Amino acid sequence: MEEGAEEAPELDRPTAPRDFHLYHVDPYDSEDRLQIFPEESSRMRREVVQAEMTGEPRGLAKGKPRRDLEEEVDELVHLYGLEDDHELGDEFVDENMPRIEVSEYPPYMMTEGEPASEQRGWRLSGEAAEAEDLSFRVWGSAGECQDLREAYRYTHGRASEEYECYVIPEEEDEEEAADVFCVTCKTPIRALEKVLDEHREHEVTPLNKALESAKDEIHKNMYKLEKQIIEMENFASHLEEVFITVEENFGRQEQNFESHYNEILETLAQKYEEKIQALGEKKKEKLEALYGQLVSCGENLDTCKELMETIEEMCHQEKVDFIKDAVAMADRLRKFLETKTDVEISTQPALEDQTLDFSDVEQLLGAINTIPPPSAPVINPQAPNSATGSSVRVCWSLYSDDTVESYQLSCRPVRDSSPGKDQAEFTMTVKETYCLVTNLVPNTQYEFWVTAQNRAGLSPASECAVYMTAPSPPIIKNKEIRSCEEAALICWESGNLNPVDSYTLELTQEDTPEASGVTESVVGIPTCEALVQLQPRRSYTIYVRALGMGGASARSEPATVHTTGSYFRLNQRTCHPWLTISEDGLTAVRSERKTPGREPPPSNTCFSRCVAVMGNLIPVRGRHYWEVEVDEHLDYTVGVAFEDVPRQEDLGANGLSWCMRHTWALSRHNYEFLHNKMTPDIRITVSPRKIGILLDYENSKLSFFNVDISQHLYTFSCQLPQSVHPCFSLEKPGCLKIHNGVAVPKHITFY
């Protein structure tokens, strides 16, 4: 190819036929190109095949350096003027020239045995078709240019945009979705990994089951978390109350100390004032006495000095004058000297002993050091399961260092959910911080408060807390229990004056060893009845609990439920006055006594024309079976009817009832299967003494059978959009007895 590449510039380009455009030649095209290098055609063909097999670009011969190939391609690009075409794919073609359309399939997708022109899908129009017939090939066809562009892109490190569609990428193995869960490794895996991988000996479970188990576990944990949140919120609320109480207790204690110290200071100040005032008065009194005595002494001294001076003057007088004055002076001296002069100090200067009496102050100081009255206790909120129907356990705390000798717990009932002050109160004294209060009314709220006591006195009362006793056990109505093979309807009475929050139904299977003793619970029942799904042909012991604010009540008395056949009783409210229902609710009797001449007044509940009664069948759609024992000489009607069947019409005389009627007249038995006053023509040769009735909601059928001989009598095809109830009628004195809990006989299962 190097030699061919060197000779290419020396070749003269042939002249193309008229109306044909000359294209650049591509020396790397397939074997059907124009052979301008005949000596290398065979070698080029081998290289092309080898490149297609190895996935390498054509023209990259074995052992040939890539750099040489790049140089050749650059020379060819320069030779054919492709330097300015940076995309190497945009050809400028004259609009008037014939078009040569090339197939979209690459050369390596051509099939063997076809001409090269057909394989490449050349389609020429106009004069180009004639050139094809003349085996004339055009230089530089679109395919050749494309091959050249591919070689150029490969050597310059660029992939082919046009050939990207021909590259079939290797399909990656899509990871198979996990369908099982490895319990040991706690991770989802594929079923194949269980056999081939390290999970071979591990325990696995279906992914859906593991998902449901994980969801259940999360829901359980969420329930526990919610419960813990509620407990923590209650604890936080209680802690806040304790915090406030401690703060109040210490605040009161600080006020107590401050009050005592202020009282002591006031007492000391009062004593100081009293003593200062007493000392002032005493001082004034003594000073006044001494001052008066001093004034008197001064006056006497002045008088003495005056007398002395007068006597001295008299001594210098004449005798006659002296004698005259002497007599008067003698009298004056005698009177003065006769006056007693007090020369003793009336008040001693020494101070008296002023002893201060601080006994009352000492008493106050002693009161501070003695035990103070205790602070107010904190009564705790009601704890779960702390109450029964007649008692409640009350607890409280003392959050201080007070000395307490006893507590007084007070209680009164709460009426109409509001604490009242006029209710009867009772108080009890206890030593501990708890008390079990008994003799209370079930499902009732009580208000409690407590005080602490020591020798210093009583504490303030705690805040009031409302406690509630648990409800009384419900009372199951055994006579109103209805059941079938798939479910049971349980009814009960609340047994409480105040409403409760909900009820819980507990069921225990008795007749299966694997389930014996296992109790299942149905919780959150809002009313006094519950329809529960059960297993066929089982015996269950059922209990009911009531739940209120004070907790759960004790279990009710047990009731037994059987799921063999159907259990129901006659409804006394629908009974005609001439019928009597037995105590067990399974027998209807019409006595021989003379009946009144007129029918009872019309009623919407009990039958007034037809002497009939209805039964309470459980409202569950499925199969129900019961049997009725009859007398072959008795006129009776048995069947089913809707709840709103007219009470003033006979059974079977309307579209709301389906019945079998028997009449005995002239020693002949007459049987009718009535619905809407219509009956088929059926002859019964053997009179049944026990009639089996099968009600099948699923197949919309009501069938009658002669139980003694296992004979099918008749089957109604009836649409039952609502629940129906058994109905029974006696046209003459006699009785009908219902047999409950009878399994469906095998010969009946096909009807």
Side-chain angles (χ1 to χ4, degrees):
M1 290 183 62
E2 295 177 357
E3 182 180 357
E6 294 175 358
E7 295 175 355
E10 299 178 4
L11 295 175
D12 294 332
R13 296 183 181 178
T15 303
R18 187 171 56 88
D19 296 334
F20 273 79
H21 183 73
L22 295 180
Y23 292 89
H24 301 299
V25 70
D26 186 359
Y28 298 104
D29 198 10
S30 59
E31 60 180 0
D32 56 344
R33 76 180 195 278
L34 184 62
Q35 301 295 333
I36 60 174
F37 306 112
E39 66 277 10
E40 296 183 356
S41 60
S42 60
R43 182 165 60 86
M44 286 290 295
R45 193 176 296 113
R46 289 193 302 269
E47 291 179 359
V48 170
V49 174
Q50 182 180 359
E52 292 176 355
M53 294 178 62
T54 60
E56 299 178 353
R58 289 177 293 176
L60 187 59
K62 182 177 181 181
K64 191 165 186 175
R66 182 183 181 97
R67 186 183 63 180
D68 296 341
L69 180 59
E70 293 178 357
E71 293 175 356
E72 288 185 18
V73 174
D74 291 337
E75 292 178 0
L76 290 172
V77 169
H78 177 71
L79 176 63
Y80 292 101
L82 299 177
E83 299 94 336
D84 297 332
D85 188 5
H86 62 276
E87 292 296 335
L88 293 179
D90 299 332
E91 303 295 339
F92 299 96
V93 183
D94 189 359
E95 296 180 356
N96 299 323
M97 60 165 283
R99 293 187 177 274
I100 302 177
E101 300 180 1
V102 184
S103 172
E104 62 179 345
Y105 299 100
Y108 57 80
M109 297 183 62
M110 296 188 298
T111 59
E112 297 180 3
E114 295 182 2
S117 61
E118 294 181 4
Q119 292 176 353
R120 292 181 62 92
W122 293 59
R123 295 188 298 275
L124 286 72
S125 61
E127 298 177 1
E130 298 177 0
E132 177 66 18
D133 296 337
L134 297 174
S135 300
F136 179 78
R137 305 260 179 200
V138 178
W139 294 3
S141 64
E144 294 169 350
C145 292
Q146 179 69 20
D147 294 337
L148 180 59
R149 287 196 297 272
E150 289 300 319
Y152 182 82
R153 283 196 172 96
Y154 177 78
T155 57
H156 286 74
R158 292 188 295 174
S160 171
E161 298 178 357
E162 288 78 1
Y163 274 77
E164 286 178 358
C165 60
Y166 302 136
V167 179
I168 302 177
E170 182 180 356
E171 295 184 359
E172 298 180 359
D173 294 336
E174 296 183 0
E175 184 178 355
E176 184 179 353
D179 51 1
V180 295
F181 182 80
C182 179
V183 181
T184 306
C185 300
K186 305 295 184 182
T187 181
I189 61 174
R190 294 178 295 176
L192 184 61
E193 296 180 14
K194 167 65 178 173
V195 181
L196 303 178
D197 207 348
E198 67 273 7
H199 306 279
R200 183 178 303 173
E201 302 298 332
H202 295 177
E203 180 184 357
V204 299
T205 184
L207 189 61
N208 292 335
K209 185 177 180 181
L211 180 61
E212 293 297 329
S213 178
K215 288 182 179 179
D216 293 342
E217 186 68 21
I218 290 176
H219 289 164
K220 291 180 182 178
N221 292 334
M222 289 179 62
Y223 173 76
K224 293 180 181 178
L225 186 60
E226 290 177 355
K227 186 177 180 181
Q228 187 174 0
I229 289 173
I230 294 174
E231 292 178 356
M232 292 302 296
E233 288 177 349
N234 294 335
F235 176 73
S237 177
H238 181 58
L239 193 62
E240 183 179 359
E241 182 180 355
V242 171
F243 180 86
I244 295 174
T245 302
V246 170
E247 185 179 15
E248 291 177 352
N249 289 342
F250 276 95
R252 282 194 293 266
Q253 211 164 31
E254 291 173 357
Q255 292 176 0
N256 188 24
F257 278 113
E258 185 178 358
S259 175
H260 276 77
Y261 279 110
N262 289 336
E263 187 176 357
I264 291 173
L265 293 176
E266 289 177 0
T267 303
L268 289 174
Q270 182 178 359
K271 287 185 174 295
Y272 172 79
E273 293 293 337
E274 291 176 357
K275 290 298 181 182
I276 290 298
Q277 185 177 1
L279 287 174
E281 291 177 355
K282 197 72 174 176
K283 173 184 175 182
K284 180 180 180 181
E285 179 183 354
K286 285 190 175 185
L287 290 177
E288 287 179 352
L290 289 173
Y291 180 76
Q293 194 174 9
L294 182 61
V295 171
S296 176
C297 182
E299 290 177 352
N300 290 335
L301 182 61
D302 292 338
T303 302
C304 290
K305 288 180 177 182
E306 183 183 356
L307 289 175
M308 286 296 295
E309 290 177 357
T310 301
I311 291 173
E312 288 180 355
E313 291 177 356
M314 286 175 60
C315 289
H316 296 288
Q317 291 179 0
E318 294 291 336
K319 294 180 178 178
V320 176
D321 296 331
F322 175 78
I323 293 173
K324 291 180 180 177
D325 294 335
V327 174
M329 181 60 66
D331 292 335
R332 184 179 176 183
L333 287 173
R334 183 178 51 81
K335 291 180 181 178
F336 176 76
L337 292 175
E338 287 178 356
T339 303
K340 187 176 180 180
T341 302
D342 189 5
V343 294
E344 295 181 359
I345 299 176
S346 60
T347 301
Q348 297 297 327
L351 296 177
E352 298 178 359
D353 186 11
Q354 298 292 332
T355 302
L356 298 177
D357 184 11
F358 288 103
S359 59
D360 49 354
V361 177
E362 292 175 354
Q363 184 178 359
L364 291 174
L365 291 174
I368 296 177
N369 297 325
T370 57
I371 299 174
S375 303
V378 178
I379 193 164
N380 301 340
Q382 184 173 3
N385 302 321
S386 62
T388 65
S390 60
S391 66
V392 65
R393 180 184 173 92
V394 184
C395 301
W396 58 90
S397 305
L398 190 68
Y399 295 94
S400 64
D401 296 331
D402 297 339
T403 300
V404 178
E405 297 177 357
S406 62
Y407 297 94
Q408 292 184 357
L409 178 65
S410 301
C411 172
R412 62 169 170 251
V414 177
R415 302 297 183 186
D416 299 329
S417 300
S418 60
K421 296 183 179 180
D422 299 330
Q423 304 297 333
E425 299 181 5
F426 58 91
T427 303
M428 58 197 74
T429 302
V430 294
K431 296 289 186 180
E432 298 81 8
T433 56
Y434 63 88
C435 180
L436 182 64
V437 184
T438 58
N439 299 324
L440 302 178
V441 180
N443 200 34
T444 303
Q445 290 183 339
Y446 289 87
E447 189 180 26
F448 291 91
W449 65 97
V450 64
T451 57
Q453 184 178 13
N454 59 16
R455 63 172 179 260
L458 279 173
S459 72
S462 67
E463 296 293 333
C464 295
V466 176
Y467 280 55
M468 189 169 188
T469 54
S472 298
I475 303 171
I476 298 179
K477 301 178 181 179
N478 289 279
K479 292 185 178 181
E480 296 186 15
I481 293 178
R482 294 172 277 170
S483 65
C484 62
E485 292 190 349
E486 300 174 355
L489 182 63
I490 314 299
C491 302
W492 60 86
E493 293 179 355
S494 173
N496 295 275
L497 297 177
N498 297 324
V500 299
D501 294 340
S502 63
Y503 298 92
T504 297
L505 193 69
E506 300 178 355
L507 305 95
T508 303
Q509 291 191 31
E510 302 294 342
D511 52 357
T512 54
E514 62 275 7
S516 180
V518 178
T519 301
E520 299 179 1
S521 299
V522 181
V523 299
I525 304 173
T527 59
C528 289
E529 66 176 25
L531 181 64
V532 292
Q533 300 296 322
L534 303 175
Q535 297 295 326
R537 295 175 293 280
R538 296 286 189 270
S539 294
Y540 293 86
T541 301
I542 296 180
Y543 305 89
V544 181
R545 295 180 187 267
L547 276 73
M549 293 177 57
S553 71
R555 278 180 167 183
S556 65
E557 293 295 327
T560 302
V561 173
H562 303 282
T563 56
T564 301
S566 298
Y567 280 84
F568 66 89
R569 286 176 170 81
L570 297 176
N571 188 353
Q572 183 71 39
R573 292 178 301 175
T574 64
C575 182
H576 191 280
W578 297 354
L579 289 178
T580 303
I581 307 301
S582 62
E583 186 176 355
D584 60 3
L586 299 176
T587 303
V589 179
R590 182 173 180 177
S591 62
E592 295 283 351
R593 67 176 182 266
K594 184 177 180 181
T595 58
R598 58 182 180 178
E599 296 179 354
S603 173
N604 293 327
T605 56
C606 61
F607 288 93
S608 57
R609 177 178 178 180
C610 178
V611 185
V613 64
M614 297 181 71
N616 276 331
L617 189 64
I618 183 172
V620 174
R621 303 185 71 84
R623 288 163 61 93
H624 300 271
Y625 179 78
W626 64 94
E627 296 177 353
V628 184
E629 185 178 341
V630 299
D631 188 351
E632 61 181 359
H633 300 299
L634 181 67
D635 291 355
Y636 60 85
T637 302
V638 294
V640 298
F642 285 113
E643 177 69 26
D644 55 349
V645 64
R647 302 299 197 260
Q648 293 80 30
E649 297 182 7
D650 293 333
L651 296 176
N654 48 63
L656 302 178
S657 57
W658 295 261
C659 301
M660 171 183 172
R661 174 182 292 177
H662 169 260
T663 55
W664 169 257
L666 302 176
S667 301
R668 293 183 59 185
H669 296 279
N670 183 27
Y671 292 92
E672 297 176 294
F673 295 91
L674 294 170
H675 173 65
N676 213 7
K677 296 183 179 181
M678 299 180 64
T679 180
D681 186 11
I682 296 178
R683 306 293 181 181
I684 298 177
T685 57
V686 179
S687 298
R689 300 182 60 86
K690 184 180 289 186
I691 302 172
I693 302 175
L694 177 64
L695 174 61
D696 189 351
Y697 280 100
E698 296 178 356
N699 297 315
S700 301
K701 291 183 179 181
L702 176 67
S703 302
F704 298 87
F705 302 89
N706 187 337
V707 177
D708 296 332
I709 61 175
S710 302
Q711 181 186 19
H712 172 247
L713 301 178
Y714 184 71
T715 296
F716 285 103
S717 294
C718 46
Q719 297 296 325
L720 303 174
Q722 303 174 4
S723 298
V724 294
H725 297 280
C727 55
F728 311 90
S729 173
L730 287 171
E731 303 304 328
K732 293 182 180 180
C735 71
L736 294 174
K737 187 174 183 180
I738 303 167
H739 293 268
N740 274 339
V742 181
V744 180
K746 295 182 179 180
H747 68 275
I748 294 180
T749 57
F750 299 101
Y751 293 94

